[in-house]
């Protein structure tokens, strides 16, 4: 009886040792596979197999599978939104976030990885639909400052952001003959926005953007005596925009300041003094609209996580391919 019990104990000990050895070998194999990026590649393959492509947010957003670029570099962006970040930035982001780093094993995000998709917008008045393409790519060259590029024809961007690019400004003023109403509508032919200054080492460092634009301005003047309509060329418009991150207990909020540095208008039949007066009126109206309190308060209510880096390189270019002689 004792001998049988002794044999059973030895068999149980050998079983435990065997299981311990197998577990140790499994851990060594998993660590080796982790270091060799096999785990990350396997997870990426499973994401493509089970999750992509798919449509989310009420079928408004479509995301394509992840692919590895097989060419020397990504093609130049012609239309849409392109976000580029590096594996080093993503690892740094995971370390500072509450998300477990095991969810991003080596080999999952690698240099050359990219995906694409589209966001669908529709106009409620006529039901017209515009698909905005987007591209997300991983590149070592961008370091710790992600790059955001936007390229759009102005007419299609107006479809998406009509309240920004087709906004009417109306104000009432006084002059020698009494009071007048001034209505303005500005349409851009070319817009360029880029990051003027950013600092990856200072998380809450303000982001400074510069913007240049050309276009046309429709100017309507009405008073008790007469009415006039003027279409002026916006020969040059330069704007400085400072985005100020502010830390709150529930996240990062934002404030901003916008300043018009240069505004040059031209009307073929108007004398120079009239152009200057028109320029001053438009300058005041546009700057006041950009810095309107309700817009700043609306932005200030938004929150981003405290651990999210704020450094970002922005390059936005909008070109209007239409005939510049078209009516507004």
């Amino acid at each position: 009886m004792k001998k049988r019990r002794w044999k059973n104990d030895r068999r149980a000990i050998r079983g435990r040792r065997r299981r311990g050895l197998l577990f140790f070998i499994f851990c060594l194999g998993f660590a080796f596979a982790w270091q060799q990026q096999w785990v990350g590649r396997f997870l990426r393959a499973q994401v493509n197999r089970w999750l992509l492509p798919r449509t989310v947010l009420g079928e408004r957003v479509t995301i394509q599978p992840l692919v590895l670029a097989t060419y020397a570099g990504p093609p130049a962006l012609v239309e849409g939104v392109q976000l580029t970040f590096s594996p080093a930035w993503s690892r740094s982001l995971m370390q500072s976030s509450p998300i477990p780093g095991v969810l991003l094993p080596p080999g999952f995000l690698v240099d050359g990885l990219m995906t694409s998709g589209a966001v669908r917008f529709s106009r409620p008045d006529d039901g017209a639909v515009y698909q905005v393409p987007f591209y997300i790519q991983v590149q070592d060259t961008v370091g710790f400052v992600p790059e955001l590029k936007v390229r759009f024809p102005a007419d299609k961007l107006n479809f998406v952001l009509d309240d920004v690019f087709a906004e009417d400004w109306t104000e009432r003023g006084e002059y020698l003959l009494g009071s007048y109403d001034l209505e303005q509508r500005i349409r851009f032919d070319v817009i360029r926005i880029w990051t003027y200054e950013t600092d990856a080492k200072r998380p809450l460092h303000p982001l400074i953007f510069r913007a240049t634009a050309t276009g046309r301005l429709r100017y309507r003047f009405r008073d008790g005596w007469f009415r006039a309509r003027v279409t002026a060329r916006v020969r040059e418009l330069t704007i400085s925009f400072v985005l100020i991150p502010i830390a709150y207990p529930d996240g990062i909020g934002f404030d901003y300041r916008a300043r018009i540095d240069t505004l040059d208008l031209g009307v073929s039949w108007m004398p120079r003094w009239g152009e200057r007066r028109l320029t001053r009126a438009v300058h005041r109206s546009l700057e006041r609209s950009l810095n309107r309190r309700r817009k700043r308060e609306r932005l200030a209510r938004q929150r981003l996580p405290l651990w999210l880096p704020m450094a970002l390189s922005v390059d936005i270019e909008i070109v209007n391919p239409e005939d510049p002689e078209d009516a507004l």
Side-chain angles (χ1 to χ4, degrees):
M1 189 73 179
K2 291 182 178 179
K3 187 175 182 180
R4 183 180 302 175
R5 185 181 306 169
W6 179 76
K7 289 182 178 179
N8 290 337
D9 291 343
R10 288 192 62 183
R11 191 179 297 114
I13 292 172
R14 286 198 299 268
R16 287 196 296 270
R17 288 177 177 175
R18 189 181 299 113
R19 288 193 295 272
L21 180 61
L22 290 176
F23 179 75
F24 179 72
I25 294 174
F26 171 80
C27 291
L28 285 180
F30 184 81
F32 181 78
W34 183 278
Q35 291 297 329
Q36 295 298 315
Q37 303 185 2
W38 296 345
V39 175
R41 295 172 188 172
F42 174 78
L43 289 179
R44 188 170 70 236
Q46 299 311 305
V47 167
N48 277 342
R49 181 179 180 182
W50 300 105
L51 298 179
L52 299 177
R54 67 185 300 106
T55 303
V56 296
L57 298 179
E59 299 187 351
R60 289 190 58 189
V61 180
T62 303
I63 306 175
Q64 299 300 325
L66 299 166
V67 296
L68 274 173
T70 57
Y71 41 81
L77 180 64
V78 177
E79 180 178 343
V81 180
Q82 177 180 284
L83 176 64
T84 306
F85 60 92
S86 69
W89 178 86
S90 60
R91 289 193 295 269
S92 175
L93 180 66
M94 294 292 289
Q95 291 174 0
S96 59
S97 74
I99 303 174
V102 70
L103 297 179
L104 187 64
F108 185 82
L109 294 178
V110 295
D111 184 44
L113 187 68
M114 61 186 305
T115 184
S116 61
V119 182
R120 182 173 58 86
F121 293 88
S122 60
R123 273 199 306 239
D125 51 352
D126 58 5
V129 175
Y130 174 45
Q131 297 277 356
V132 179
F134 67 84
Y135 309 88
I136 302 175
Q137 56 188 21
V138 182
Q139 289 187 7
D140 289 329
T141 55
V142 301
F144 288 94
V145 181
E147 295 180 353
L148 177 66
K149 289 186 178 181
V150 179
R151 299 290 186 270
F152 275 114
D155 56 339
K156 292 185 178 180
L157 185 65
N158 290 342
F159 188 104
V160 179
L161 301 175
D162 185 70
D163 60 331
V164 176
F165 290 93
E167 183 177 355
D168 282 333
W169 294 280
T170 303
E171 65 178 75
R172 189 172 184 84
E174 302 290 336
Y175 75 128
L176 293 177
L177 301 179
S179 61
Y180 65 89
D181 293 324
L182 176 66
E183 294 182 4
Q184 304 162 69
R185 178 182 291 270
I186 192 167
R187 176 173 180 174
F188 295 109
D189 296 328
V190 176
I191 304 175
R192 177 76 191 280
I193 305 172
W194 70 97
T195 308
Y196 184 73
E197 182 180 343
T198 185
D199 191 340
K201 298 180 180 179
R202 298 173 59 187
L204 296 181
H205 184 70
L207 297 177
I208 303 177
F209 303 93
R210 298 293 300 275
T212 60
T214 61
R216 286 165 289 164
L217 172 72
R218 184 173 63 195
Y219 173 87
R220 287 179 177 175
F221 179 90
R222 294 196 304 268
D223 69 357
W225 298 86
F226 64 94
R227 298 185 178 188
R229 173 176 172 174
V230 178
T231 299
R233 295 292 304 175
V234 181
R235 293 182 292 222
E236 182 181 6
L237 173 63
T238 304
I239 302 175
S240 297
F241 186 90
V242 182
L243 184 63
I244 308 169
I246 303 174
Y248 294 99
D250 59 340
I252 298 176
F254 295 91
D255 193 9
Y256 74 88
R257 295 291 187 277
R259 184 186 70 227
I260 297 178
D261 300 315
T262 306
L263 179 60
D264 184 13
L265 301 180
V267 182
S268 57
W269 55 267
M270 183 176 288
R272 190 56 189 168
W273 66 267
E275 288 183 349
R276 287 195 296 267
R277 180 166 183 169
L278 176 61
T279 299
R280 287 194 297 269
V282 174
H283 186 289
R284 290 193 301 267
S285 178
L286 180 58
E287 195 167 70
R288 184 165 52 249
S289 177
L290 289 172
N291 293 285
R292 195 160 291 163
R293 177 178 296 180
R294 68 170 180 269
K295 293 182 179 179
R296 293 170 55 197
E297 290 176 347
R298 189 183 308 123
L299 178 64
R301 288 194 292 267
Q302 307 301 319
R303 292 289 187 272
L304 292 178
L306 289 169
W307 47 264
L308 186 67
M310 291 292 103
L312 181 67
S313 176
V314 175
D315 181 8
I316 301 174
E317 188 172 345
I318 299 160
V319 178
N320 191 347
E322 298 181 355
D323 186 348
E325 299 300 325
D326 289 345
L328 289 172

